[in-house]
Amino acid sequence: MTPEEQDLVMGLVLVPGKGRTRTLDEVLAHFGESDGGALALRLLRDAMERRDAGDVEMALIVKAAADASGEEFLEPLIELSRADWHKRHEDVVRMLGKLRSPKTVPALGEATRWVPEYLDWDESRGLAVKAIWALGAIPGAEAREALEGLRDDENEIIRENAVNQLERRGEL
């Protein structure tokens, strides 16, 4: 993606007090697309193929602006949740949670235990907490079992969030 295209996509980001400087229609027109989800998926796959962290961020911005959450995003997002070459893991985990698919449980479980190097400073374990909340939104036994497995975690934040999700689900 060119710097000009990145600026165009960044215009989709809501800035408090200022709003957005671009519309999704403007971005779609520039890229010759009519569907925001299709554009987001194309940009995401291209960024992943090139292992371009900046373009992953741009693709995720388009995905969010288009409110795209189809099944076609499942595998790329799972792959990104485990990739160590970008810094958008919290966004990816949040998006996996919105899919509410049991297929995401193993990746979300891993995200509760893995601390990427760039998040090593985060004592509040933001990535793990987001993954636990995502697990809490997924129906079924597999997600419940993943949460139950976190009740005895050595980290108090992880334990408390897992218990909170199990209570919220009525499974404790």
Side-chain angles (χ1 to χ4, degrees):
M1 200 177 286
T2 67
E4 293 78 19
E5 288 171 333
Q6 289 178 341
D7 286 343
L8 179 68
V9 170
M10 287 300 294
L12 295 172
V13 175
L14 181 63
V15 177
K18 294 187 178 185
R20 292 179 176 88
T21 60
R22 297 293 184 175
T23 67
L24 181 59
D25 287 339
E26 290 174 298
V27 173
L28 291 172
H30 173 82
F31 285 98
E33 289 277 355
S34 60
D35 179 281
L39 175 60
L41 190 58
R42 178 169 60 92
L43 294 175
L44 190 59
R45 286 183 173 146
D46 178 62
M48 291 172 68
E49 184 177 310
R50 294 181 293 105
R51 294 175 62 115
D52 187 316
D55 283 0
V56 164
E57 181 178 3
M58 297 301 109
L60 295 178
I61 289 169
V62 172
K63 181 185 179 308
D67 197 25
S69 62
E71 179 84 12
E72 64 273 10
F73 286 98
L74 187 64
E75 290 305 320
L77 290 174
I78 288 172
E79 184 178 331
L80 277 174
S81 75
R82 298 169 171 149
D84 63 359
W85 51 266
H86 69 90
K87 296 182 178 183
R88 305 310 308 177
H89 295 91
E90 291 185 36
D91 294 333
V92 169
V93 162
R94 183 179 44 78
M95 290 176 180
L96 284 171
K98 284 185 174 186
L99 292 174
R100 295 182 174 214
S101 170
K103 294 177 183 176
T104 66
V105 170
L108 292 170
E110 289 173 24
T112 67
R113 294 180 297 278
W114 179 47
V115 179
E117 190 174 315
Y118 74 95
L119 291 176
D120 195 37
W121 59 270
D122 183 12
E123 293 177 11
S124 65
R125 297 294 307 274
L127 176 61
V129 170
K130 285 177 179 66
I132 292 166
W133 280 75
L135 285 166
I138 298 169
E142 192 174 1
R144 182 192 72 244
E145 290 167 9
L147 290 167
E148 287 173 347
L150 297 170
R151 284 190 306 189
D152 297 323
D153 194 273
E154 64 185 39
N155 184 290
E156 181 180 354
I157 293 169
I158 290 174
R159 282 192 315 269
E160 287 178 3
N161 278 277
V163 167
N164 288 342
Q165 286 304 303
L166 286 165
E167 286 175 350
R168 188 189 61 74
R169 292 167 60 108
E171 296 175 336
L172 190 65

